Amino acid sequence: QVQLVESGGGLVQDGGSLRLSCVVSGRTFSSYAMGWFRQAPGKDREFVAAISLRPYYDDFVKGRFTISRDNAKNTVYLQMNSLKPEDTAVYYCAARGGGLLRIAANDYEYWGQGTQVTVSS
């Protein structure tokens, strides 16, 4: 069974930075495409970034967020800089078998429990 555990969320001021981490159990981490999604209160879950061999970002985080992975540590990261109050949400890590990068939440099989990110103005 694949388990994902996120960490690194918290409260930060407008313009600040946070780094989220997601550790994935299992022996085939390198074969997964990994994604970060977020969900704000009253809104649908939305795509933030994903990585397989290369990263891909939604336009509203491009240039501010960086997704990376360390296959030796079974970990994917999301470095978030220049945070804005509208980035406030629960951030979820997700894994997709087969390695092809996708941006739809329904294409991901495994999910973490989420970590809260709050950006104050």
Side-chain angles (χ1 to χ4, degrees), residues 73-111:
K73 295 182 178 180
N74 280 21
T75 302
V76 62
Y77 304 97
L78 186 68
Q79 177 66 45
M80 305 186 294
N81 299 328
S82 302
L83 283 161
K84 306 174 182 181
E86 51 264 44
D87 294 317
T88 295
V90 177
Y91 283 71
Y92 296 90
C93 172
R96 182 179 186 280
L100 294 179
L101 194 152
R102 293 286 187 269
I103 65 172
N106 288 342
D107 287 328
Y108 287 79
E109 302 154 52
Y110 308 105
W111 291 83

PDB file of all heavy atoms in Angstrom, residues 73-111:
ATOM      1  N   LYS A  73      15.346   9.532  -1.669  1.00  0.00           N
ATOM      2  CA  LYS A  73      14.656   9.737  -0.389  1.00  0.00           C
ATOM      3  C   LYS A  73      13.146   9.528  -0.498  1.00  0.00           C
ATOM      4  O   LYS A  73      12.416   9.793   0.455  1.00  0.00           O
ATOM      5  CB  LYS A  73      14.938  11.152   0.128  1.00  0.00           C
ATOM      6  CG  LYS A  73      16.388  11.394   0.476  1.00  0.00           C
ATOM      7  CD  LYS A  73      16.587  12.805   1.031  1.00  0.00           C
ATOM      8  CE  LYS A  73      18.041  13.035   1.433  1.00  0.00           C
ATOM      9  NZ  LYS A  73      18.244  14.404   1.980  1.00  0.00           N
ATOM     10  N   ASN A  74      12.674   9.111  -1.669  1.00  0.00           N
ATOM     11  CA  ASN A  74      11.231   8.932  -1.879  1.00  0.00           C
ATOM     12  C   ASN A  74      10.454  10.187  -1.502  1.00  0.00           C
ATOM     13  O   ASN A  74       9.363  10.110  -0.893  1.00  0.00           O
ATOM     14  CB  ASN A  74      10.696   7.738  -1.072  1.00  0.00           C
ATOM     15  CG  ASN A  74      10.969   6.411  -1.743  1.00  0.00           C
ATOM     16  OD1 ASN A  74      11.866   6.311  -2.588  1.00  0.00           O
ATOM     17  ND2 ASN A  74      10.224   5.389  -1.374  1.00  0.00           N
ATOM     18  N   THR A  75      10.972  11.335  -1.875  1.00  0.00           N
ATOM     19  CA  THR A  75      10.394  12.592  -1.424  1.00  0.00           C
ATOM     20  C   THR A  75      10.224  13.559  -2.586  1.00  0.00           C
ATOM     21  O   THR A  75      11.093  13.665  -3.462  1.00  0.00           O
ATOM     22  CB  THR A  75      11.281  13.240  -0.343  1.00  0.00           C
ATOM     23  OG1 THR A  75      11.421  12.329   0.754  1.00  0.00           O
ATOM     24  CG2 THR A  75      10.670  14.529   0.161  1.00  0.00           C
ATOM     25  N   VAL A  76       9.099  14.260  -2.561  1.00  0.00           N
ATOM     26  CA  VAL A  76       8.862  15.355  -3.492  1.00  0.00           C
ATOM     27  C   VAL A  76       8.691  16.626  -2.666  1.00  0.00           C
ATOM     28  O   VAL A  76       8.140  16.591  -1.562  1.00  0.00           O
ATOM     29  CB  VAL A  76       7.640  15.076  -4.388  1.00  0.00           C
ATOM     30  CG1 VAL A  76       6.364  14.952  -3.583  1.00  0.00           C
ATOM     31  CG2 VAL A  76       7.493  16.133  -5.463  1.00  0.00           C
ATOM     32  N   TYR A  77       9.187  17.729  -3.214  1.00  0.00           N
ATOM     33  CA  TYR A  77       9.177  19.000  -2.507  1.00  0.00           C
ATOM     34  C   TYR A  77       8.396  20.044  -3.308  1.00  0.00           C
ATOM     35  O   TYR A  77       8.314  19.972  -4.534  1.00  0.00           O
ATOM     36  CB  TYR A  77      10.604  19.515  -2.296  1.00  0.00           C
ATOM     37  CG  TYR A  77      11.505  18.556  -1.580  1.00  0.00           C
ATOM     38  CD1 TYR A  77      12.372  17.728  -2.291  1.00  0.00           C
ATOM     39  CD2 TYR A  77      11.512  18.482  -0.192  1.00  0.00           C
ATOM     40  CE1 TYR A  77      13.214  16.839  -1.628  1.00  0.00           C
ATOM     41  CE2 TYR A  77      12.356  17.598   0.476  1.00  0.00           C
ATOM     42  CZ  TYR A  77      13.191  16.788  -0.252  1.00  0.00           C
ATOM     43  OH  TYR A  77      14.023  15.909   0.400  1.00  0.00           O
ATOM     44  N   LEU A  78       7.896  21.025  -2.586  1.00  0.00           N
ATOM     45  CA  LEU A  78       7.320  22.205  -3.221  1.00  0.00           C
ATOM     46  C   LEU A  78       7.865  23.429  -2.492  1.00  0.00           C
ATOM     47  O   LEU A  78       7.465  23.707  -1.358  1.00  0.00           O
ATOM     48  CB  LEU A  78       5.798  22.185  -3.179  1.00  0.00           C
ATOM     49  CG  LEU A  78       5.122  23.325  -3.951  1.00  0.00           C
ATOM     50  CD1 LEU A  78       5.360  23.148  -5.455  1.00  0.00           C
ATOM     51  CD2 LEU A  78       3.629  23.400  -3.660  1.00  0.00           C
ATOM     52  N   GLN A  79       8.811  24.096  -3.131  1.00  0.00           N
ATOM     53  CA  GLN A  79       9.355  25.329  -2.584  1.00  0.00           C
ATOM     54  C   GLN A  79       8.451  26.469  -3.020  1.00  0.00           C
ATOM     55  O   GLN A  79       8.259  26.671  -4.232  1.00  0.00           O
ATOM     56  CB  GLN A  79      10.777  25.556  -3.083  1.00  0.00           C
ATOM     57  CG  GLN A  79      11.396  26.867  -2.623  1.00  0.00           C
ATOM     58  CD  GLN A  79      11.628  26.924  -1.126  1.00  0.00           C
ATOM     59  OE1 GLN A  79      12.118  25.962  -0.544  1.00  0.00           O
ATOM     60  NE2 GLN A  79      11.279  28.041  -0.504  1.00  0.00           N
ATOM     61  N   MET A  80       7.925  27.189  -2.062  1.00  0.00           N
ATOM     62  CA  MET A  80       6.971  28.265  -2.355  1.00  0.00           C
ATOM     63  C   MET A  80       7.561  29.589  -1.897  1.00  0.00           C
ATOM     64  O   MET A  80       7.790  29.791  -0.701  1.00  0.00           O
ATOM     65  CB  MET A  80       5.635  27.996  -1.650  1.00  0.00           C
ATOM     66  CG  MET A  80       5.044  26.638  -1.982  1.00  0.00           C
ATOM     67  SD  MET A  80       3.400  26.398  -1.284  1.00  0.00           S
ATOM     68  CE  MET A  80       3.790  26.394   0.465  1.00  0.00           C
ATOM     69  N   ASN A  81       7.818  30.469  -2.834  1.00  0.00           N
ATOM     70  CA  ASN A  81       8.357  31.797  -2.550  1.00  0.00           C
ATOM     71  C   ASN A  81       7.330  32.858  -2.932  1.00  0.00           C
ATOM     72  O   ASN A  81       6.390  32.589  -3.673  1.00  0.00           O
ATOM     73  CB  ASN A  81       9.651  32.011  -3.319  1.00  0.00           C
ATOM     74  CG  ASN A  81      10.734  31.026  -2.942  1.00  0.00           C
ATOM     75  OD1 ASN A  81      10.819  30.566  -1.800  1.00  0.00           O
ATOM     76  ND2 ASN A  81      11.580  30.682  -3.903  1.00  0.00           N
ATOM     77  N   SER A  82       7.554  34.072  -2.434  1.00  0.00           N
ATOM     78  CA  SER A  82       6.666  35.198  -2.749  1.00  0.00           C
ATOM     79  C   SER A  82       5.205  34.825  -2.524  1.00  0.00           C
ATOM     80  O   SER A  82       4.333  35.093  -3.368  1.00  0.00           O
ATOM     81  CB  SER A  82       6.879  35.658  -4.194  1.00  0.00           C
ATOM     82  OG  SER A  82       8.216  36.026  -4.408  1.00  0.00           O
ATOM     83  N   LEU A  83       4.948  34.215  -1.388  1.00  0.00           N
ATOM     84  CA  LEU A  83       3.589  33.759  -1.102  1.00  0.00           C
ATOM     85  C   LEU A  83       2.626  34.926  -0.955  1.00  0.00           C
ATOM     86  O   LEU A  83       2.996  36.010  -0.471  1.00  0.00           O
ATOM     87  CB  LEU A  83       3.575  32.903   0.162  1.00  0.00           C
ATOM     88  CG  LEU A  83       4.089  31.473  -0.033  1.00  0.00           C
ATOM     89  CD1 LEU A  83       4.474  30.845   1.293  1.00  0.00           C
ATOM     90  CD2 LEU A  83       3.037  30.625  -0.740  1.00  0.00           C
ATOM     91  N   LYS A  84       1.385  34.676  -1.373  1.00  0.00           N
ATOM     92  CA  LYS A  84       0.338  35.680  -1.338  1.00  0.00           C
ATOM     93  C   LYS A  84      -0.833  35.153  -0.511  1.00  0.00           C
ATOM     94  O   LYS A  84      -1.005  33.934  -0.389  1.00  0.00           O
ATOM     95  CB  LYS A  84      -0.152  35.968  -2.756  1.00  0.00           C
ATOM     96  CG  LYS A  84       0.938  36.345  -3.735  1.00  0.00           C
ATOM     97  CD  LYS A  84       0.388  36.479  -5.146  1.00  0.00           C
ATOM     98  CE  LYS A  84       1.473  36.801  -6.144  1.00  0.00           C
ATOM     99  NZ  LYS A  84       0.935  36.953  -7.518  1.00  0.00           N
ATOM    100  N   PRO A  85      -1.657  36.038   0.031  1.00  0.00           N
ATOM    101  CA  PRO A  85      -2.819  35.565   0.796  1.00  0.00           C
ATOM    102  C   PRO A  85      -3.708  34.605   0.000  1.00  0.00           C
ATOM    103  O   PRO A  85      -4.276  33.674   0.581  1.00  0.00           O
ATOM    104  CB  PRO A  85      -3.550  36.857   1.137  1.00  0.00           C
ATOM    105  CG  PRO A  85      -2.472  37.875   1.228  1.00  0.00           C
ATOM    106  CD  PRO A  85      -1.495  37.506   0.142  1.00  0.00           C
ATOM    107  N   GLU A  86      -3.790  34.789  -1.302  1.00  0.00           N
ATOM    108  CA  GLU A  86      -4.619  33.902  -2.124  1.00  0.00           C
ATOM    109  C   GLU A  86      -4.014  32.506  -2.289  1.00  0.00           C
ATOM    110  O   GLU A  86      -4.651  31.620  -2.857  1.00  0.00           O
ATOM    111  CB  GLU A  86      -4.891  34.524  -3.491  1.00  0.00           C
ATOM    112  CG  GLU A  86      -3.669  35.016  -4.220  1.00  0.00           C
ATOM    113  CD  GLU A  86      -3.443  36.513  -4.013  1.00  0.00           C
ATOM    114  OE1 GLU A  86      -3.576  37.000  -2.875  1.00  0.00           O
ATOM    115  OE2 GLU A  86      -3.109  37.191  -5.014  1.00  0.00           O
ATOM    116  N   ASP A  87      -2.796  32.303  -1.812  1.00  0.00           N
ATOM    117  CA  ASP A  87      -2.192  30.959  -1.809  1.00  0.00           C
ATOM    118  C   ASP A  87      -2.654  30.144  -0.601  1.00  0.00           C
ATOM    119  O   ASP A  87      -2.335  28.963  -0.486  1.00  0.00           O
ATOM    120  CB  ASP A  87      -0.671  31.041  -1.797  1.00  0.00           C
ATOM    121  CG  ASP A  87      -0.095  31.631  -3.073  1.00  0.00           C
ATOM    122  OD1 ASP A  87      -0.578  31.268  -4.162  1.00  0.00           O
ATOM    123  OD2 ASP A  87       0.846  32.457  -2.976  1.00  0.00           O
ATOM    124  N   THR A  88      -3.385  30.773   0.302  1.00  0.00           N
ATOM    125  CA  THR A  88      -3.879  30.078   1.486  1.00  0.00           C
ATOM    126  C   THR A  88      -4.790  28.921   1.094  1.00  0.00           C
ATOM    127  O   THR A  88      -5.760  29.103   0.358  1.00  0.00           O
ATOM    128  CB  THR A  88      -4.630  31.052   2.407  1.00  0.00           C
ATOM    129  OG1 THR A  88      -3.711  32.034   2.898  1.00  0.00           O
ATOM    130  CG2 THR A  88      -5.272  30.316   3.571  1.00  0.00           C
ATOM    131  N   ALA A  89      -4.458  27.729   1.573  1.00  0.00           N
ATOM    132  CA  ALA A  89      -5.215  26.521   1.222  1.00  0.00           C
ATOM    133  C   ALA A  89      -4.611  25.329   1.960  1.00  0.00           C
ATOM    134  O   ALA A  89      -3.538  25.438   2.558  1.00  0.00           O
ATOM    135  CB  ALA A  89      -5.151  26.260  -0.285  1.00  0.00           C
ATOM    136  N   VAL A  90      -5.309  24.214   1.876  1.00  0.00           N
ATOM    137  CA  VAL A  90      -4.709  22.936   2.253  1.00  0.00           C
ATOM    138  C   VAL A  90      -4.016  22.392   1.011  1.00  0.00           C
ATOM    139  O   VAL A  90      -4.622  22.307  -0.058  1.00  0.00           O
ATOM    140  CB  VAL A  90      -5.762  21.945   2.768  1.00  0.00           C
ATOM    141  CG1 VAL A  90      -5.112  20.601   3.078  1.00  0.00           C
ATOM    142  CG2 VAL A  90      -6.461  22.504   4.006  1.00  0.00           C
ATOM    143  N   TYR A  91      -2.754  22.044   1.156  1.00  0.00           N
ATOM    144  CA  TYR A  91      -1.959  21.535   0.043  1.00  0.00           C
ATOM    145  C   TYR A  91      -1.837  20.017   0.164  1.00  0.00           C
ATOM    146  O   TYR A  91      -1.495  19.496   1.229  1.00  0.00           O
ATOM    147  CB  TYR A  91      -0.583  22.183   0.040  1.00  0.00           C
ATOM    148  CG  TYR A  91      -0.613  23.591  -0.501  1.00  0.00           C
ATOM    149  CD1 TYR A  91      -1.200  24.628   0.220  1.00  0.00           C
ATOM    150  CD2 TYR A  91      -0.076  23.895  -1.758  1.00  0.00           C
ATOM    151  CE1 TYR A  91      -1.263  25.916  -0.284  1.00  0.00           C
ATOM    152  CE2 TYR A  91      -0.127  25.183  -2.269  1.00  0.00           C
ATOM    153  CZ  TYR A  91      -0.721  26.187  -1.526  1.00  0.00           C
ATOM    154  OH  TYR A  91      -0.780  27.471  -2.030  1.00  0.00           O
ATOM    155  N   TYR A  92      -2.107  19.357  -0.964  1.00  0.00           N
ATOM    156  CA  TYR A  92      -2.089  17.902  -1.015  1.00  0.00           C
ATOM    157  C   TYR A  92      -1.024  17.417  -1.983  1.00  0.00           C
ATOM    158  O   TYR A  92      -0.873  17.950  -3.090  1.00  0.00           O
ATOM    159  CB  TYR A  92      -3.438  17.367  -1.478  1.00  0.00           C
ATOM    160  CG  TYR A  92      -4.590  17.652  -0.556  1.00  0.00           C
ATOM    161  CD1 TYR A  92      -5.345  18.811  -0.706  1.00  0.00           C
ATOM    162  CD2 TYR A  92      -4.924  16.770   0.470  1.00  0.00           C
ATOM    163  CE1 TYR A  92      -6.408  19.083   0.146  1.00  0.00           C
ATOM    164  CE2 TYR A  92      -5.983  17.033   1.314  1.00  0.00           C
ATOM    165  CZ  TYR A  92      -6.725  18.187   1.151  1.00  0.00           C
ATOM    166  OH  TYR A  92      -7.774  18.439   1.991  1.00  0.00           O
ATOM    167  N   CYS A  93      -0.356  16.377  -1.586  1.00  0.00           N
ATOM    168  CA  CYS A  93       0.572  15.658  -2.438  1.00  0.00           C
ATOM    169  C   CYS A  93      -0.164  14.461  -3.039  1.00  0.00           C
ATOM    170  O   CYS A  93      -0.987  13.827  -2.368  1.00  0.00           O
ATOM    171  CB  CYS A  93       1.748  15.197  -1.572  1.00  0.00           C
ATOM    172  SG  CYS A  93       2.915  14.108  -2.353  1.00  0.00           S
ATOM    173  N   ALA A  94       0.134  14.134  -4.299  1.00  0.00           N
ATOM    174  CA  ALA A  94      -0.529  13.021  -4.966  1.00  0.00           C
ATOM    175  C   ALA A  94       0.463  12.269  -5.836  1.00  0.00           C
ATOM    176  O   ALA A  94       1.414  12.856  -6.361  1.00  0.00           O
ATOM    177  CB  ALA A  94      -1.690  13.528  -5.813  1.00  0.00           C
ATOM    178  N   ALA A  95       0.209  10.979  -5.996  1.00  0.00           N
ATOM    179  CA  ALA A  95       1.082  10.126  -6.802  1.00  0.00           C
ATOM    180  C   ALA A  95       0.263   9.415  -7.868  1.00  0.00           C
ATOM    181  O   ALA A  95      -0.874   8.994  -7.623  1.00  0.00           O
ATOM    182  CB  ALA A  95       1.792   9.103  -5.919  1.00  0.00           C
ATOM    183  N   ARG A  96       0.888   9.284  -9.026  1.00  0.00           N
ATOM    184  CA  ARG A  96       0.232   8.634 -10.154  1.00  0.00           C
ATOM    185  C   ARG A  96       1.175   7.601 -10.740  1.00  0.00           C
ATOM    186  O   ARG A  96       2.288   7.934 -11.162  1.00  0.00           O
ATOM    187  CB  ARG A  96      -0.122   9.669 -11.217  1.00  0.00           C
ATOM    188  CG  ARG A  96      -0.852   9.096 -12.401  1.00  0.00           C
ATOM    189  CD  ARG A  96      -1.193  10.190 -13.407  1.00  0.00           C
ATOM    190  NE  ARG A  96      -2.027   9.644 -14.466  1.00  0.00           N
ATOM    191  CZ  ARG A  96      -1.575   8.952 -15.491  1.00  0.00           C
ATOM    192  NH1 ARG A  96      -0.279   8.761 -15.632  1.00  0.00           N
ATOM    193  NH2 ARG A  96      -2.401   8.482 -16.398  1.00  0.00           N
ATOM    194  N   GLY A  97       0.725   6.356 -10.788  1.00  0.00           N
ATOM    195  CA  GLY A  97       1.537   5.292 -11.364  1.00  0.00           C
ATOM    196  C   GLY A  97       1.668   5.452 -12.861  1.00  0.00           C
ATOM    197  O   GLY A  97       0.832   6.066 -13.517  1.00  0.00           O
ATOM    198  N   GLY A  98       2.739   4.922 -13.418  1.00  0.00           N
ATOM    199  CA  GLY A  98       2.931   4.963 -14.864  1.00  0.00           C
ATOM    200  C   GLY A  98       3.835   6.084 -15.315  1.00  0.00           C
ATOM    201  O   GLY A  98       4.365   6.039 -16.421  1.00  0.00           O
ATOM    202  N   GLY A  99       3.989   7.115 -14.470  1.00  0.00           N
ATOM    203  CA  GLY A  99       4.982   8.140 -14.759  1.00  0.00           C
ATOM    204  C   GLY A  99       4.562   9.268 -15.663  1.00  0.00           C
ATOM    205  O   GLY A  99       5.298  10.256 -15.791  1.00  0.00           O
ATOM    206  N   LEU A 100       3.405   9.183 -16.302  1.00  0.00           N
ATOM    207  CA  LEU A 100       2.991  10.267 -17.193  1.00  0.00           C
ATOM    208  C   LEU A 100       2.421  11.413 -16.376  1.00  0.00           C
ATOM    209  O   LEU A 100       1.586  11.213 -15.499  1.00  0.00           O
ATOM    210  CB  LEU A 100       1.955   9.771 -18.199  1.00  0.00           C
ATOM    211  CG  LEU A 100       2.452   8.742 -19.212  1.00  0.00           C
ATOM    212  CD1 LEU A 100       1.323   8.313 -20.141  1.00  0.00           C
ATOM    213  CD2 LEU A 100       3.617   9.301 -20.030  1.00  0.00           C
ATOM    214  N   LEU A 101       2.846  12.606 -16.687  1.00  0.00           N
ATOM    215  CA  LEU A 101       2.442  13.784 -15.942  1.00  0.00           C
ATOM    216  C   LEU A 101       1.014  14.163 -16.340  1.00  0.00           C
ATOM    217  O   LEU A 101       0.692  14.209 -17.517  1.00  0.00           O
ATOM    218  CB  LEU A 101       3.421  14.923 -16.252  1.00  0.00           C
ATOM    219  CG  LEU A 101       3.411  16.149 -15.370  1.00  0.00           C
ATOM    220  CD1 LEU A 101       4.799  16.776 -15.362  1.00  0.00           C
ATOM    221  CD2 LEU A 101       2.386  17.145 -15.843  1.00  0.00           C
ATOM    222  N   ARG A 102       0.186  14.427 -15.322  1.00  0.00           N
ATOM    223  CA  ARG A 102      -1.189  14.841 -15.543  1.00  0.00           C
ATOM    224  C   ARG A 102      -1.530  15.994 -14.610  1.00  0.00           C
ATOM    225  O   ARG A 102      -0.894  16.159 -13.568  1.00  0.00           O
ATOM    226  CB  ARG A 102      -2.158  13.681 -15.291  1.00  0.00           C
ATOM    227  CG  ARG A 102      -2.043  12.553 -16.287  1.00  0.00           C
ATOM    228  CD  ARG A 102      -2.642  12.939 -17.635  1.00  0.00           C
ATOM    229  NE  ARG A 102      -2.682  11.814 -18.562  1.00  0.00           N
ATOM    230  CZ  ARG A 102      -1.718  11.523 -19.407  1.00  0.00           C
ATOM    231  NH1 ARG A 102      -0.613  12.275 -19.437  1.00  0.00           N
ATOM    232  NH2 ARG A 102      -1.836  10.492 -20.217  1.00  0.00           N
ATOM    233  N   ILE A 103      -2.544  16.792 -14.967  1.00  0.00           N
ATOM    234  CA  ILE A 103      -2.922  17.910 -14.119  1.00  0.00           C
ATOM    235  C   ILE A 103      -4.308  17.752 -13.517  1.00  0.00           C
ATOM    236  O   ILE A 103      -4.726  18.573 -12.705  1.00  0.00           O
ATOM    237  CB  ILE A 103      -2.846  19.249 -14.887  1.00  0.00           C
ATOM    238  CG1 ILE A 103      -3.871  19.286 -16.026  1.00  0.00           C
ATOM    239  CG2 ILE A 103      -1.442  19.483 -15.413  1.00  0.00           C
ATOM    240  CD1 ILE A 103      -3.959  20.668 -16.675  1.00  0.00           C
ATOM    241  N   ALA A 104      -5.034  16.716 -13.889  1.00  0.00           N
ATOM    242  CA  ALA A 104      -6.366  16.480 -13.327  1.00  0.00           C
ATOM    243  C   ALA A 104      -6.258  15.638 -12.075  1.00  0.00           C
ATOM    244  O   ALA A 104      -5.604  14.589 -12.071  1.00  0.00           O
ATOM    245  CB  ALA A 104      -7.247  15.782 -14.348  1.00  0.00           C
ATOM    246  N   ALA A 105      -6.930  16.067 -11.019  1.00  0.00           N
ATOM    247  CA  ALA A 105      -6.856  15.344  -9.756  1.00  0.00           C
ATOM    248  C   ALA A 105      -7.339  13.904  -9.906  1.00  0.00           C
ATOM    249  O   ALA A 105      -6.801  12.999  -9.261  1.00  0.00           O
ATOM    250  CB  ALA A 105      -7.673  16.077  -8.695  1.00  0.00           C
ATOM    251  N   ASN A 106      -8.320  13.679 -10.747  1.00  0.00           N
ATOM    252  CA  ASN A 106      -8.870  12.334 -10.921  1.00  0.00           C
ATOM    253  C   ASN A 106      -7.855  11.353 -11.511  1.00  0.00           C
ATOM    254  O   ASN A 106      -8.062  10.143 -11.447  1.00  0.00           O
ATOM    255  CB  ASN A 106     -10.107  12.379 -11.813  1.00  0.00           C
ATOM    256  CG  ASN A 106     -11.302  12.998 -11.117  1.00  0.00           C
ATOM    257  OD1 ASN A 106     -11.330  13.105  -9.897  1.00  0.00           O
ATOM    258  ND2 ASN A 106     -12.277  13.410 -11.892  1.00  0.00           N
ATOM    259  N   ASP A 107      -6.786  11.849 -12.099  1.00  0.00           N
ATOM    260  CA  ASP A 107      -5.771  10.974 -12.688  1.00  0.00           C
ATOM    261  C   ASP A 107      -4.758  10.469 -11.660  1.00  0.00           C
ATOM    262  O   ASP A 107      -3.888   9.669 -12.007  1.00  0.00           O
ATOM    263  CB  ASP A 107      -5.021  11.706 -13.797  1.00  0.00           C
ATOM    264  CG  ASP A 107      -5.870  11.874 -15.049  1.00  0.00           C
ATOM    265  OD1 ASP A 107      -6.706  10.996 -15.328  1.00  0.00           O
ATOM    266  OD2 ASP A 107      -5.692  12.896 -15.745  1.00  0.00           O
ATOM    267  N   TYR A 108      -4.854  10.935 -10.430  1.00  0.00           N
ATOM    268  CA  TYR A 108      -3.909  10.531  -9.390  1.00  0.00           C
ATOM    269  C   TYR A 108      -4.564   9.500  -8.471  1.00  0.00           C
ATOM    270  O   TYR A 108      -5.699   9.659  -8.035  1.00  0.00           O
ATOM    271  CB  TYR A 108      -3.428  11.746  -8.597  1.00  0.00           C
ATOM    272  CG  TYR A 108      -2.474  12.593  -9.396  1.00  0.00           C
ATOM    273  CD1 TYR A 108      -2.940  13.474 -10.370  1.00  0.00           C
ATOM    274  CD2 TYR A 108      -1.098  12.482  -9.223  1.00  0.00           C
ATOM    275  CE1 TYR A 108      -2.068  14.220 -11.138  1.00  0.00           C
ATOM    276  CE2 TYR A 108      -0.213  13.237  -9.978  1.00  0.00           C
ATOM    277  CZ  TYR A 108      -0.715  14.099 -10.932  1.00  0.00           C
ATOM    278  OH  TYR A 108       0.168  14.840 -11.690  1.00  0.00           O
ATOM    279  N   GLU A 109      -3.808   8.446  -8.190  1.00  0.00           N
ATOM    280  CA  GLU A 109      -4.352   7.299  -7.448  1.00  0.00           C
ATOM    281  C   GLU A 109      -4.168   7.430  -5.941  1.00  0.00           C
ATOM    282  O   GLU A 109      -4.970   6.903  -5.178  1.00  0.00           O
ATOM    283  CB  GLU A 109      -3.654   6.023  -7.923  1.00  0.00           C
ATOM    284  CG  GLU A 109      -3.777   5.750  -9.415  1.00  0.00           C
ATOM    285  CD  GLU A 109      -2.603   4.916  -9.897  1.00  0.00           C
ATOM    286  OE1 GLU A 109      -2.339   3.858  -9.289  1.00  0.00           O
ATOM    287  OE2 GLU A 109      -1.939   5.316 -10.864  1.00  0.00           O
ATOM    288  N   TYR A 110      -3.090   8.063  -5.521  1.00  0.00           N
ATOM    289  CA  TYR A 110      -2.737   8.082  -4.106  1.00  0.00           C
ATOM    290  C   TYR A 110      -2.618   9.528  -3.632  1.00  0.00           C
ATOM    291  O   TYR A 110      -2.054  10.375  -4.339  1.00  0.00           O
ATOM    292  CB  TYR A 110      -1.426   7.341  -3.866  1.00  0.00           C
ATOM    293  CG  TYR A 110      -1.394   5.949  -4.443  1.00  0.00           C
ATOM    294  CD1 TYR A 110      -0.679   5.681  -5.603  1.00  0.00           C
ATOM    295  CD2 TYR A 110      -2.084   4.905  -3.832  1.00  0.00           C
ATOM    296  CE1 TYR A 110      -0.652   4.410  -6.143  1.00  0.00           C
ATOM    297  CE2 TYR A 110      -2.063   3.631  -4.366  1.00  0.00           C
ATOM    298  CZ  TYR A 110      -1.352   3.386  -5.519  1.00  0.00           C
ATOM    299  OH  TYR A 110      -1.333   2.126  -6.041  1.00  0.00           O
ATOM    300  N   TRP A 111      -3.106   9.762  -2.417  1.00  0.00           N
ATOM    301  CA  TRP A 111      -3.137  11.113  -1.868  1.00  0.00           C
ATOM    302  C   TRP A 111      -2.661  11.134  -0.429  1.00  0.00           C
ATOM    303  O   TRP A 111      -2.876  10.170   0.329  1.00  0.00           O
ATOM    304  CB  TRP A 111      -4.567  11.659  -1.917  1.00  0.00           C
ATOM    305  CG  TRP A 111      -5.038  11.931  -3.300  1.00  0.00           C
ATOM    306  CD1 TRP A 111      -5.561  11.026  -4.183  1.00  0.00           C
ATOM    307  CD2 TRP A 111      -4.997  13.186  -3.980  1.00  0.00           C
ATOM    308  NE1 TRP A 111      -5.852  11.659  -5.380  1.00  0.00           N
ATOM    309  CE2 TRP A 111      -5.521  12.982  -5.274  1.00  0.00           C
ATOM    310  CE3 TRP A 111      -4.577  14.462  -3.624  1.00  0.00           C
ATOM    311  CZ2 TRP A 111      -5.630  14.004  -6.212  1.00  0.00           C
ATOM    312  CZ3 TRP A 111      -4.689  15.480  -4.555  1.00  0.00           C
ATOM    313  CH2 TRP A 111      -5.207  15.247  -5.830  1.00  0.00           C
TER     314      TRP A 111
END
